[in-house]
Amino acid sequence: MNKPHHRGKSQLTIFNGLSEDETRQLDKLSSLISLESHSYLFHQHSPANAVYMIEDGALMIERSAANGKRQILAFVHPGNFIGFTHNEYYEFSVQTLTAAKLTKIPRRQFIELSDVIPQLKHNVRQISSNVLAHTMDQVFALGQKKANERVCFLLHQLLQRKGEGSTENIDLVMTRQDIADYLGLTIETVSRTFAKLKKDGIIDIHFAHVIEILDMQQLRAFALAT
Amino acid sequence: MNKPHHRGKSQLTIFNGLSEDETRQLDKLSSLISLESHSYLFHQHSPANAVYMIEDGALMIERSAANGKRQILAFVHPGNFIGFTHNEYYEFSVQTLTAAKLTKIPRRQFIELSDVIPQLKHNVRQISSNVLAHTMDQVFALGQKKANERVCFLLHQLLQRKGEGSTENIDLVMTRQDIADYLGLTIETVSRTFAKLKKDGIIDIHFAHVIEILDMQQLRAFALAT
DNA sequence: CGGGACCTTGAAACACCTCAAATATGGTGG
DNA sequence: CCACCATATTTGAGGTGTTTCAAGGTCCCG
């Protein structure tokens, strides 16, 4: 494929620090795929045949249970690397929140390549460490934080993947239900918590999906509380 | 070191499938350390200089916050491999629940060795996958399960590391507070939940720390609920 | 046998959930 | 471009599970 890969500002991607030749080797394995909004990239328990890098759009990683309960494990964005595992089957599903474009790389071949390109191996390890760290953060949030702290935790995460920029607006591409399933709350509690944060002057809600941070200091205090 | 390594029945350890020579190479890097009960192996944010394999005893992985809140990330047992990271600093503390013996291996040298021994590399990857899977299970439990389901979730986990044996007794080496901090509950809720499970005939409580499973089917139903 | 730490139990408060209804939003066809 | 519709969000009222605060009981170890 010849399309340029997404490269975030200072964000870590699998392409970081690769030589042109190494990048070419990866490119030879790659294909670009497009997905519609609210479609599945793959499902839990399906064979883990490929890894993906997000070029454009937003997706969420989810785990569902027989009784219909659903836990969102992460919201992912351009530059993120997903589907990497050493198990035979995926342990979660990945669903698009918007139309999306992804680079697809056969998993076996990707692993073989990462075994011979030290920089690529290093990147993969770094990303894997970050994924685990992110998941541990979520455990802490779900185990120890109150509803308002959890919502701020999410807003803070969404802010961080933009630059350390000013009090920008946050565009929430996910529904309240998605947020609830990420934070272990109900949709009503999420909605009420947003309302309370607005009343307290910490955020403003321009539209349901456009949030402005008014008091960054307080937001961070809630987000990092505990 | 010449002490034999712990090898669980079918449990995956870093030593799985290594040749005698490869095992010897690891042994040359290893030292055996002993820790008293309720002492720290290392603290969050300290330099990640070594990885460890548990030979004997029980420990817990914890993450603490400034305000005193604490989240237990895992209870670990003989055969488990801990401290492996590609970050410069540990992201959690490890504390002993009992007196413990561990094999200590310098992290840098361990990583170098795992780069040249395919089987060791494979084992490390497998273990890392398991750690992430375990953490995702915990996210699901904390986000979606009720108190009784969470307690059964823990009991079920503790049962699994013994054989698929019969209705054995479980020896809880951790305190009710540790359990509470693992499951995102309070100590009183944990205590009341145990009482309720006993009243419902699902478990029996011989001593506070010796639990017998009476109704395995119901326990699993609760543990895996959702 | 005594003392401290841990565990259990009770009662009341509270955060969050459930159920229900009203309102807002965003996409679509006329 | 607007009106309409389906869907998503907000808000209200009441219920429930979990927490908080407090007291009593149990266990273990010296």
Side-chain angles (χ1 to χ4, degrees):
Chain A
M1 62 173 267
N2 294 313
K3 298 248 175 191
H5 301 289
H6 170 96
R7 282 174 182 80
K9 313 123 219 237
S10 61
Q11 192 190 11
L12 175 62
T13 80
I14 51 171
F15 290 97
N16 269 54
L18 292 188
S19 71
E20 283 201 16
D21 178 59
E22 291 164 345
T23 303
R24 230 182 334 264
Q25 285 184 267
L26 263 179
D27 278 356
K28 274 194 297 197
L29 299 176
S30 303
S31 54
L32 188 66
I33 66 171
S34 294
L35 286 174
E36 293 180 355
S37 187
H38 297 284
S39 58
Y40 279 90
L41 176 59
F42 56 75
H43 282 89
Q44 200 169 352
H45 304 133
S46 64
N49 295 328
V51 299
Y52 303 86
M53 174 162 154
I54 299 169
E55 300 291 341
D56 193 52
L59 301 88
M60 58 187 168
I61 294 174
E62 60 181 39
R63 189 178 258 210
S64 292
N67 64 3
K69 289 197 179 176
R70 181 182 73 147
Q71 176 66 46
I72 306 290
L73 294 164
F75 297 109
V76 292
H77 303 281
N80 288 157
F81 181 58
I82 58 177
F84 185 75
T85 175
H86 286 284
N87 297 327
E88 198 175 347
Y89 299 98
Y90 294 118
E91 308 215 322
F92 41 75
S93 307
V94 176
Q95 189 184 0
T96 57
L97 286 162
T98 66
K101 292 192 194 311
L102 301 93
T103 297
K104 174 179 185 172
I105 310 178
R107 186 173 68 95
R108 282 264 151 261
Q109 295 174 60
F110 178 82
I111 290 177
E112 282 164 18
L113 206 55
S114 76
D115 278 342
V116 297
I117 300 178
Q119 179 66 41
L120 182 56
K121 169 159 53 184
H122 177 261
N123 291 348
V124 169
R125 284 175 172 175
Q126 217 62 49
I127 289 171
S128 298
S129 285
N130 290 348
V131 168
L132 181 58
H134 175 276
T135 309
M136 294 191 302
D137 283 347
Q138 196 180 3
V139 168
F140 197 107
L142 298 185
Q144 305 297 329
K145 290 187 203 289
K146 294 257 186 275
N148 61 340
E149 295 167 338
R150 294 190 205 183
V151 170
C152 288
F153 168 77
L154 170 62
L155 292 177
H156 189 250
Q157 280 189 337
L158 295 176
L159 273 173
Q160 283 198 313
R161 62 175 195 85
K162 310 167 78 163
E164 285 298 316
S166 57
T167 315
E168 284 176 277
N169 289 353
I170 302 181
D171 195 356
L172 298 173
V173 293
M174 67 291 286
T175 68
R176 293 289 189 268
Q177 185 64 60
D178 296 333
I179 294 174
D181 289 346
Y182 179 63
L183 298 175
L185 302 169
T186 59
I187 184 172
E188 296 94 336
T189 298
V190 170
S191 186
R192 274 186 258 268
T193 301
F194 273 118
K196 177 95 183 350
L197 289 173
K198 175 173 180 175
K199 190 169 79 64
D200 293 349
I202 296 169
I203 64 172
D204 196 4
I205 305 175
H206 296 301
F207 303 91
H209 291 271
V210 181
I211 307 292
E212 181 184 356
I213 309 301
L214 299 178
D215 187 346
M216 185 57 122
Q217 194 167 9
Q218 187 60 58
L219 182 98
R220 298 189 77 240
F222 278 146
L224 307 177
T226 75
Chain B
M1 61 172 267
N2 294 313
K3 298 249 178 189
H5 301 291
H6 171 95
R7 281 174 181 82
K9 314 126 216 229
S10 62
Q11 191 190 12
L12 176 61
T13 79
I14 51 171
F15 290 98
N16 269 54
L18 292 189
S19 72
E20 282 200 15
D21 179 60
E22 290 165 345
T23 303
R24 235 186 325 272
Q25 285 184 269
L26 263 179
D27 278 356
K28 274 195 296 199
L29 299 176
S30 304
S31 53
L32 188 67
I33 65 171
S34 294
L35 287 173
E36 293 179 356
S37 186
H38 296 285
S39 58
Y40 278 90
L41 176 60
F42 55 75
H43 282 91
Q44 199 168 354
H45 304 133
S46 63
N49 295 327
V51 299
Y52 302 86
M53 173 162 155
I54 299 170
E55 300 292 341
D56 192 53
L59 300 88
M60 57 186 169
I61 294 175
E62 58 181 42
R63 188 177 259 209
S64 292
N67 64 2
K69 288 197 180 175
R70 179 182 75 146
Q71 176 66 44
I72 306 290
L73 294 165
F75 297 110
V76 293
H77 303 282
N80 288 157
F81 182 57
I82 58 178
F84 185 75
T85 175
H86 286 284
N87 297 326
E88 198 175 347
Y89 299 98
Y90 293 119
E91 307 213 324
F92 42 75
S93 306
V94 176
Q95 188 184 359
T96 57
L97 286 162
T98 65
K101 293 193 192 314
L102 301 93
T103 298
K104 174 178 184 172
I105 310 178
R107 186 173 67 96
R108 280 264 153 260
Q109 296 173 56
F110 178 83
I111 290 177
E112 283 165 18
L113 205 55
S114 76
D115 278 343
V116 297
I117 301 180
Q119 179 66 43
L120 181 56
K121 169 160 53 185
H122 177 260
N123 290 349
V124 168
R125 284 175 171 174
Q126 217 61 50
I127 290 172
S128 298
S129 284
N130 291 348
V131 168
L132 180 59
H134 175 276
T135 309
M136 293 192 303
D137 284 345
Q138 197 179 3
V139 168
F140 197 106
L142 297 185
Q144 305 297 330
K145 290 186 203 287
K146 295 259 189 275
N148 61 339
E149 295 168 338
R150 294 189 205 183
V151 169
C152 289
F153 168 77
L154 170 62
L155 292 177
H156 189 250
Q157 280 189 336
L158 295 177
L159 274 173
Q160 284 198 313
R161 63 174 193 86
K162 311 168 77 165
E164 285 295 319
S166 56
T167 315
E168 282 175 281
N169 288 353
I170 301 181
D171 194 357
L172 298 173
V173 294
M174 66 293 285
T175 67
R176 294 289 189 269
Q177 185 64 61
D178 295 332
I179 294 175
D181 289 347
Y182 179 64
L183 298 175
L185 302 169
T186 60
I187 184 172
E188 296 94 335
T189 298
V190 170
S191 187
R192 275 187 259 266
T193 302
F194 272 117
K196 178 98 186 341
L197 290 174
K198 175 174 180 174
K199 190 169 79 65
D200 293 349
I202 296 169
I203 64 172
D204 195 5
I205 306 176
H206 296 301
F207 303 91
H209 290 271
V210 182
I211 307 292
E212 181 185 355
I213 309 302
L214 298 178
D215 187 345
M216 184 60 125
Q217 194 167 8
Q218 188 59 60
L219 181 98
R220 298 189 76 238
F222 278 146
L224 307 177
T226 77

Short mmCIF file of all heavy atoms in Angstrom, two decimals, chain A residues 146-147 184-186 188-189 192 206-208, chain C residues 14-21 24-26:
data_model
loop_
_atom_site.label_atom_id
_atom_site.label_comp_id
_atom_site.label_asym_id
_atom_site.label_seq_id
_atom_site.Cartn_x
_atom_site.Cartn_y
_atom_site.Cartn_z
N LYS A 146 -15.57 7.64 42.40
CA LYS A 146 -17.00 7.97 42.37
C LYS A 146 -17.40 8.39 40.95
O LYS A 146 -16.54 8.65 40.10
CB LYS A 146 -17.28 9.11 43.33
CG LYS A 146 -17.06 8.74 44.79
CD LYS A 146 -18.39 8.50 45.46
CE LYS A 146 -18.25 8.27 46.95
NZ LYS A 146 -17.93 6.88 47.31
N ALA A 147 -18.71 8.49 40.72
CA ALA A 147 -19.20 8.77 39.37
C ALA A 147 -18.58 10.04 38.77
O ALA A 147 -18.12 10.03 37.63
CB ALA A 147 -20.72 8.88 39.38
N GLY A 184 -18.62 1.91 33.93
CA GLY A 184 -19.33 1.07 34.90
C GLY A 184 -20.47 1.79 35.59
O GLY A 184 -20.75 1.57 36.75
N LEU A 185 -21.16 2.67 34.84
CA LEU A 185 -22.29 3.42 35.39
C LEU A 185 -23.50 3.18 34.49
O LEU A 185 -23.41 2.45 33.51
CB LEU A 185 -21.95 4.92 35.42
CG LEU A 185 -20.72 5.32 36.23
CD1 LEU A 185 -20.34 6.77 35.96
CD2 LEU A 185 -20.97 5.12 37.72
N THR A 186 -24.63 3.82 34.83
CA THR A 186 -25.77 3.76 33.94
C THR A 186 -25.81 5.06 33.12
O THR A 186 -25.22 6.07 33.50
CB THR A 186 -27.09 3.64 34.71
OG1 THR A 186 -27.22 4.77 35.57
CG2 THR A 186 -27.12 2.37 35.53
N GLU A 188 -28.19 7.11 32.83
CA GLU A 188 -28.78 8.22 33.58
C GLU A 188 -27.77 8.87 34.52
O GLU A 188 -27.73 10.10 34.66
CB GLU A 188 -29.99 7.75 34.39
CG GLU A 188 -31.16 7.25 33.54
CD GLU A 188 -31.11 5.76 33.34
OE1 GLU A 188 -30.01 5.17 33.42
OE2 GLU A 188 -32.17 5.15 33.09
N THR A 189 -26.96 8.04 35.15
CA THR A 189 -25.96 8.59 36.06
C THR A 189 -24.94 9.42 35.30
O THR A 189 -24.52 10.49 35.75
CB THR A 189 -25.25 7.46 36.83
OG1 THR A 189 -26.21 6.76 37.62
CG2 THR A 189 -24.17 8.00 37.74
N ARG A 192 -26.66 12.73 34.42
CA ARG A 192 -26.77 13.59 35.60
C ARG A 192 -25.42 14.13 36.04
O ARG A 192 -25.31 15.26 36.51
CB ARG A 192 -27.40 12.79 36.75
CG ARG A 192 -28.92 12.80 36.74
CD ARG A 192 -29.47 12.13 37.98
NE ARG A 192 -29.93 10.79 37.70
CZ ARG A 192 -31.19 10.49 37.36
NH1 ARG A 192 -32.09 11.44 37.29
NH2 ARG A 192 -31.53 9.25 37.11
N HIS A 206 -22.18 22.36 25.17
CA HIS A 206 -22.71 23.14 24.06
C HIS A 206 -23.80 22.36 23.34
O HIS A 206 -24.88 22.86 23.09
CB HIS A 206 -21.59 23.52 23.11
CG HIS A 206 -20.58 24.43 23.75
ND1 HIS A 206 -20.91 25.65 24.28
CD2 HIS A 206 -19.26 24.26 23.99
CE1 HIS A 206 -19.83 26.22 24.80
NE2 HIS A 206 -18.82 25.39 24.64
N PHE A 207 -23.46 21.14 22.97
CA PHE A 207 -24.45 20.18 22.55
C PHE A 207 -24.15 18.93 23.36
O PHE A 207 -23.10 18.86 23.99
CB PHE A 207 -24.36 19.89 21.04
CG PHE A 207 -24.50 21.13 20.21
CD1 PHE A 207 -23.37 21.86 19.84
CD2 PHE A 207 -25.75 21.59 19.81
CE1 PHE A 207 -23.49 23.01 19.10
CE2 PHE A 207 -25.88 22.74 19.05
CZ PHE A 207 -24.75 23.46 18.70
N ALA A 208 -25.01 17.97 23.31
CA ALA A 208 -24.76 16.79 24.14
C ALA A 208 -23.38 16.20 23.86
O ALA A 208 -22.76 15.62 24.75
CB ALA A 208 -25.84 15.73 23.87
P DC C 14 -26.51 11.70 54.28
OP1 DC C 14 -25.57 12.80 54.57
OP2 DC C 14 -27.96 11.95 54.12
"O5'" DC C 14 -26.00 10.95 53.00
"C5'" DC C 14 -24.85 10.11 53.08
"C4'" DC C 14 -24.70 9.36 51.78
"O4'" DC C 14 -25.51 8.17 51.78
"C3'" DC C 14 -25.14 10.19 50.57
"O3'" DC C 14 -24.15 10.06 49.58
"C2'" DC C 14 -26.46 9.52 50.15
"C1'" DC C 14 -26.19 8.07 50.54
N1 DC C 14 -27.38 7.22 50.77
C2 DC C 14 -27.35 5.90 50.34
O2 DC C 14 -26.34 5.47 49.80
N3 DC C 14 -28.44 5.11 50.55
C4 DC C 14 -29.51 5.62 51.16
N4 DC C 14 -30.56 4.82 51.34
C5 DC C 14 -29.56 6.98 51.60
C6 DC C 14 -28.49 7.74 51.38
P DA C 15 -23.87 11.14 48.47
OP1 DA C 15 -22.74 12.00 48.88
OP2 DA C 15 -25.18 11.73 48.10
"O5'" DA C 15 -23.36 10.21 47.29
"C5'" DA C 15 -22.51 9.11 47.59
"C4'" DA C 15 -22.77 8.00 46.61
"O4'" DA C 15 -23.99 7.30 46.96
"C3'" DA C 15 -22.93 8.48 45.17
"O3'" DA C 15 -22.14 7.62 44.35
"C2'" DA C 15 -24.43 8.36 44.91
"C1'" DA C 15 -24.85 7.23 45.83
N9 DA C 15 -26.21 7.33 46.36
C8 DA C 15 -26.84 8.44 46.85
N7 DA C 15 -28.06 8.22 47.28
C5 DA C 15 -28.25 6.86 47.06
C6 DA C 15 -29.34 6.01 47.30
N6 DA C 15 -30.50 6.42 47.83
N1 DA C 15 -29.21 4.72 46.96
C2 DA C 15 -28.05 4.30 46.42
N3 DA C 15 -26.94 5.01 46.15
C4 DA C 15 -27.12 6.30 46.49
P DC C 16 -21.99 7.88 42.83
OP1 DC C 16 -20.60 7.50 42.53
OP2 DC C 16 -22.50 9.23 42.48
"O5'" DC C 16 -22.95 6.81 42.17
"C5'" DC C 16 -22.85 5.45 42.61
"C4'" DC C 16 -24.10 4.70 42.20
"O4'" DC C 16 -25.22 5.15 42.98
"C3'" DC C 16 -24.48 4.90 40.73
"O3'" DC C 16 -24.36 3.62 40.09
"C2'" DC C 16 -25.92 5.43 40.79
"C1'" DC C 16 -26.37 5.03 42.19
N1 DC C 16 -27.42 5.90 42.81
C2 DC C 16 -28.58 5.32 43.31
O2 DC C 16 -28.71 4.09 43.24
N3 DC C 16 -29.53 6.11 43.87
C4 DC C 16 -29.35 7.43 43.92
N4 DC C 16 -30.31 8.18 44.48
C5 DC C 16 -28.17 8.05 43.41
C6 DC C 16 -27.24 7.27 42.86
P DC C 17 -25.02 3.32 38.65
OP1 DC C 17 -24.23 2.20 38.09
OP2 DC C 17 -25.17 4.58 37.91
"O5'" DC C 17 -26.46 2.75 38.99
"C5'" DC C 17 -26.57 1.61 39.82
"C4'" DC C 17 -28.00 1.12 39.85
"O4'" DC C 17 -28.84 2.09 40.54
"C3'" DC C 17 -28.64 0.91 38.48
"O3'" DC C 17 -29.33 -0.33 38.51
"C2'" DC C 17 -29.58 2.10 38.31
"C1'" DC C 17 -29.96 2.44 39.75
N1 DC C 17 -30.23 3.87 40.02
C2 DC C 17 -31.44 4.25 40.63
O2 DC C 17 -32.27 3.37 40.90
N3 DC C 17 -31.67 5.56 40.90
C4 DC C 17 -30.75 6.47 40.59
N4 DC C 17 -31.02 7.75 40.89
C5 DC C 17 -29.50 6.12 39.98
C6 DC C 17 -29.29 4.82 39.71
P DT C 18 -29.98 -0.96 37.18
OP1 DT C 18 -29.83 -2.42 37.27
OP2 DT C 18 -29.47 -0.21 36.01
"O5'" DT C 18 -31.53 -0.61 37.31
"C5'" DT C 18 -32.22 -0.97 38.50
"C4'" DT C 18 -33.65 -0.48 38.43
"O4'" DT C 18 -33.71 0.93 38.77
"C3'" DT C 18 -34.32 -0.63 37.05
"O3'" DT C 18 -35.56 -1.29 37.24
"C2'" DT C 18 -34.50 0.80 36.56
"C1'" DT C 18 -34.57 1.59 37.86
N1 DT C 18 -34.08 3.00 37.81
C2 DT C 18 -34.82 3.99 38.40
O2 DT C 18 -35.87 3.79 38.96
N3 DT C 18 -34.27 5.25 38.31
C4 DT C 18 -33.08 5.60 37.70
O4 DT C 18 -32.69 6.75 37.69
C5 DT C 18 -32.35 4.50 37.09
C7 DT C 18 -31.06 4.78 36.39
C6 DT C 18 -32.87 3.28 37.17
P DC C 19 -36.42 -1.83 36.00
OP1 DC C 19 -37.03 -3.10 36.42
OP2 DC C 19 -35.60 -1.76 34.77
"O5'" DC C 19 -37.58 -0.74 35.89
"C5'" DC C 19 -38.30 -0.37 37.05
"C4'" DC C 19 -39.13 0.87 36.79
"O4'" DC C 19 -38.29 2.04 36.85
"C3'" DC C 19 -39.81 0.89 35.42
"O3'" DC C 19 -41.17 1.27 35.60
"C2'" DC C 19 -39.02 1.94 34.64
"C1'" DC C 19 -38.62 2.89 35.78
N1 DC C 19 -37.45 3.75 35.49
C2 DC C 19 -37.45 5.07 35.98
O2 DC C 19 -38.44 5.47 36.63
N3 DC C 19 -36.39 5.86 35.74
C4 DC C 19 -35.36 5.39 35.04
N4 DC C 19 -34.33 6.21 34.83
C5 DC C 19 -35.33 4.05 34.54
C6 DC C 19 -36.40 3.27 34.78
P DA C 20 -42.23 1.25 34.37
OP1 DA C 20 -43.52 0.73 34.89
OP2 DA C 20 -41.59 0.62 33.19
"O5'" DA C 20 -42.40 2.81 34.07
"C5'" DA C 20 -42.66 3.70 35.15
"C4'" DA C 20 -42.62 5.13 34.66
"O4'" DA C 20 -41.24 5.59 34.62
"C3'" DA C 20 -43.18 5.34 33.25
"O3'" DA C 20 -44.16 6.37 33.28
"C2'" DA C 20 -41.96 5.72 32.42
"C1'" DA C 20 -41.07 6.38 33.47
N9 DA C 20 -39.66 6.39 33.12
C8 DA C 20 -38.90 5.36 32.63
N7 DA C 20 -37.64 5.68 32.40
C5 DA C 20 -37.57 7.02 32.77
C6 DA C 20 -36.52 7.94 32.78
N6 DA C 20 -35.29 7.66 32.38
N1 DA C 20 -36.79 9.20 33.21
C2 DA C 20 -38.04 9.49 33.61
N3 DA C 20 -39.11 8.71 33.66
C4 DA C 20 -38.80 7.47 33.22
P DA C 21 -45.11 6.65 32.03
OP1 DA C 21 -46.49 6.63 32.52
OP2 DA C 21 -44.71 5.80 30.88
"O5'" DA C 21 -44.71 8.15 31.68
"C5'" DA C 21 -44.56 9.08 32.75
"C4'" DA C 21 -43.78 10.28 32.25
"O4'" DA C 21 -42.38 9.90 32.10
"C3'" DA C 21 -44.23 10.79 30.88
"O3'" DA C 21 -44.41 12.20 30.97
"C2'" DA C 21 -43.07 10.43 29.95
"C1'" DA C 21 -41.89 10.48 30.91
N9 DA C 21 -40.72 9.72 30.47
C8 DA C 21 -40.68 8.44 29.99
N7 DA C 21 -39.48 8.03 29.68
C5 DA C 21 -38.67 9.11 29.96
C6 DA C 21 -37.29 9.33 29.85
N6 DA C 21 -36.43 8.40 29.40
N1 DA C 21 -36.80 10.53 30.23
C2 DA C 21 -37.66 11.45 30.69
N3 DA C 21 -38.99 11.37 30.84
C4 DA C 21 -39.43 10.16 30.46
P DA C 24 -36.09 21.02 25.14
OP1 DA C 24 -35.48 22.18 25.84
OP2 DA C 24 -37.22 21.20 24.20
"O5'" DA C 24 -34.93 20.25 24.40
"C5'" DA C 24 -33.86 19.71 25.17
"C4'" DA C 24 -32.98 18.87 24.29
"O4'" DA C 24 -33.70 17.67 23.89
"C3'" DA C 24 -32.52 19.54 23.00
"O3'" DA C 24 -31.13 19.34 22.90
"C2'" DA C 24 -33.31 18.83 21.90
"C1'" DA C 24 -33.49 17.45 22.51
N9 DA C 24 -34.66 16.70 22.07
C8 DA C 24 -35.98 17.06 22.17
N7 DA C 24 -36.83 16.16 21.71
C5 DA C 24 -36.00 15.13 21.28
C6 DA C 24 -36.28 13.89 20.69
N6 DA C 24 -37.51 13.46 20.42
N1 DA C 24 -35.22 13.11 20.37
C2 DA C 24 -33.98 13.55 20.64
N3 DA C 24 -33.61 14.70 21.19
C4 DA C 24 -34.67 15.45 21.49
P DT C 25 -30.28 20.09 21.81
OP1 DT C 25 -29.04 20.51 22.44
OP2 DT C 25 -31.17 21.06 21.12
"O5'" DT C 25 -29.93 18.91 20.79
"C5'" DT C 25 -29.43 17.67 21.31
"C4'" DT C 25 -29.36 16.66 20.20
"O4'" DT C 25 -30.68 16.13 19.95
"C3'" DT C 25 -28.86 17.25 18.88
"O3'" DT C 25 -27.75 16.49 18.46
"C2'" DT C 25 -30.07 17.11 17.93
"C1'" DT C 25 -30.83 15.95 18.57
N1 DT C 25 -32.29 15.91 18.31
C2 DT C 25 -32.84 14.76 17.78
O2 DT C 25 -32.20 13.77 17.51
N3 DT C 25 -34.20 14.81 17.58
C4 DT C 25 -35.05 15.87 17.85
O4 DT C 25 -36.25 15.81 17.62
C5 DT C 25 -34.41 17.04 18.39
C7 DT C 25 -35.24 18.26 18.70
C6 DT C 25 -33.08 17.01 18.59
P DG C 26 -26.81 17.08 17.35
OP1 DG C 26 -25.44 17.12 17.88
OP2 DG C 26 -27.42 18.31 16.78
"O5'" DG C 26 -26.89 15.95 16.24
"C5'" DG C 26 -27.26 14.62 16.59
"C4'" DG C 26 -27.81 13.92 15.37
"O4'" DG C 26 -29.26 14.09 15.33
"C3'" DG C 26 -27.30 14.46 14.03
"O3'" DG C 26 -27.15 13.37 13.14
"C2'" DG C 26 -28.40 15.40 13.57
"C1'" DG C 26 -29.62 14.64 14.08
N9 DG C 26 -30.81 15.46 14.31
C8 DG C 26 -30.87 16.78 14.70
N7 DG C 26 -32.10 17.22 14.83
C5 DG C 26 -32.89 16.13 14.51
C6 DG C 26 -34.30 16.00 14.47
O6 DG C 26 -35.15 16.84 14.72
N1 DG C 26 -34.68 14.71 14.09
C2 DG C 26 -33.83 13.69 13.77
N2 DG C 26 -34.38 12.53 13.41
N3 DG C 26 -32.51 13.80 13.81
C4 DG C 26 -32.11 15.04 14.18
#
